Amino acid sequence: MSAHARTTCYVHRCWVHQCISDPLHVLVVTGHRWCRRCDRTVDVEIDETFPGSVELSCDGCGVPPDTVANREVLFACRTSLVAMHGGEVSTLYVVPDD
């Protein structure tokens, strides 16, 4: 599964919205967290207070990047926030009770 189609991060072992600002999640080739207009990293602002919000911004050109890749980032973070606030527990790292 694509890292940007998940609600949890397999590298950082947390909700996606909690670690999306890490430089590891900038993918220049695919355009995830990248502004093609000015070739800069896109900043992610997360507000975890209910209901939560996610915004992408570029310090270079000042225009929020609207690409398929960056929409995937927004969707993954928003889904992660909803899951966190909805009380859904990720089953990705659940250890069996055996």
Side-chain angles (χ1 to χ4, degrees), residues 55-84:
E55 292 184 24
L56 299 180
S57 61
C58 176
D59 287 339
C61 61
V63 177
D66 187 28
T67 62
V68 171
N70 285 312
R71 285 193 297 270
E72 282 182 353
V73 170
L74 283 172
F75 183 76
C77 289
R78 289 176 180 156
T79 304
S80 175
L81 274 167
V82 167
M84 182 184 79

Side-chain angles (χ1 to χ4, degrees), residues 1-93:
M1 182 181 278
S2 166
H4 295 95
R6 302 169 54 106
T7 56
T8 57
C9 176
Y10 64 92
V11 174
H12 297 107
R13 295 183 173 253
C14 62
W15 294 109
V16 167
H17 71 272
Q18 293 174 328
C19 67
I20 195 70
S21 295
D22 189 287
L24 177 70
H25 294 293
V26 176
L27 302 172
V28 178
V29 174
T30 61
H32 291 87
R33 286 205 48 226
W34 189 254
C35 179
R36 296 206 187 276
R37 175 177 288 165
C38 60
D39 289 331
R40 291 181 72 145
T41 301
V42 170
D43 294 325
V44 182
E45 296 176 30
I46 307 284
D47 179 6
E48 285 191 352
T49 56
F50 186 78
S53 67
V54 182
E55 292 184 24
L56 299 180
S57 61
C58 176
D59 287 339
C61 61
V63 177
D66 187 28
T67 62
V68 171
N70 285 312
R71 285 193 297 270
E72 282 182 353
V73 170
L74 283 172
F75 183 76
C77 289
R78 289 176 180 156
T79 304
S80 175
L81 274 167
V82 167
M84 182 184 79
H85 286 299
E88 295 178 19
V89 178
S90 171
T91 58
L92 188 58
Y93 304 112

